[in-house]
Amino acid sequence: MVPSAFAIQDRGDFNLIYIQTSSEWAESYESWLYDMQYFEDLIIDLNNIYKLPYDVDVFLMECDESNAWYYDDPHDNYNPEIVMCYELMYDTDYRFTQYYEREYGYDWSTDEQIDDLDYSVLNVIDNVFYHELGHAFLDVYDITYSGTQENVADQFAAYYSLEFPYLDDPENTVGQDVMTDAAWDYWLISEEHPDLPLTAFADTHALDKQRFFNLACWTYGAYPNESQWMIELDWVEGERAEYWCEDEYYQLVKFWDEKLENN
């Protein structure tokens, strides 16, 4: 069950804001999401579940870079913000398009194949948004944590995807698909950049292949019976699969349950 009883007073909401696009390609992603009311539904759910001490704005916009982020400057008068860039959606779309064409011979002539692509892209968008939401909650609720904030935000994305099935999806196939598509996207990104500069190892984010194995491990830890295929395909390996993945998932759930229930 999603925790809903927080000690703080509910004085804020997540606010969805579309920033007008200047490119046809960006407008196509804006229209695609708006026609589905995709983020509108997400925002309604979040405002029904979580109490905020102040507003947090969620921007959908062109950014001149393939990215997403959470930002709060205590010295300005603006609300904290989560930014989701259309460039990131475009790049994700391109990666999965190339992958499906290369591996499965998709020619995009059938609605079913287009639906497969859209589903994968939306799953990655979900995971990225939940990751930024993790950053927001760490800040808004002033949560103390250990390790890098990026890893903790990845863990929140896993927690939100895997711990709370939809009522019409008791096996949580949607949440598992969100995690596996997001994990595979990190693998595809790693193949685009095989020669890493030294600065990549000093970054606050884990390496893309590390994030692939982390997301896979936590998914396996949450649903070991349904995820035996991960062992067969080496998505989870060795002692971590045998001894650690279930405990890692248990620990991240325990952390976020306790932190959210205390706010």
Side-chain angles (χ1 to χ4, degrees), residues 23 49 62 65 76 110 113 191 199 209 222 232 239 248:
S23 307
I49 295 168
E62 289 180 83
E65 60 178 310
D76 66 30
T110 70
Q113 291 178 339
E191 291 185 328
T199 53
K209 282 185 178 174
E232 297 170 7
E239 292 187 358
E248 286 182 38

Side-chain angles (χ1 to χ4, degrees), residues 217-218 220-222 236-252:
C217 179
W218 300 331
Y220 179 86
V236 291
E237 300 186 67
E239 292 187 358
R240 189 177 185 189
E242 186 173 356
Y243 299 112
W244 290 101
C245 289
E246 291 186 55
D247 187 62
E248 286 182 38
Y249 182 69
Y250 169 79
Q251 293 296 335
L252 73 85

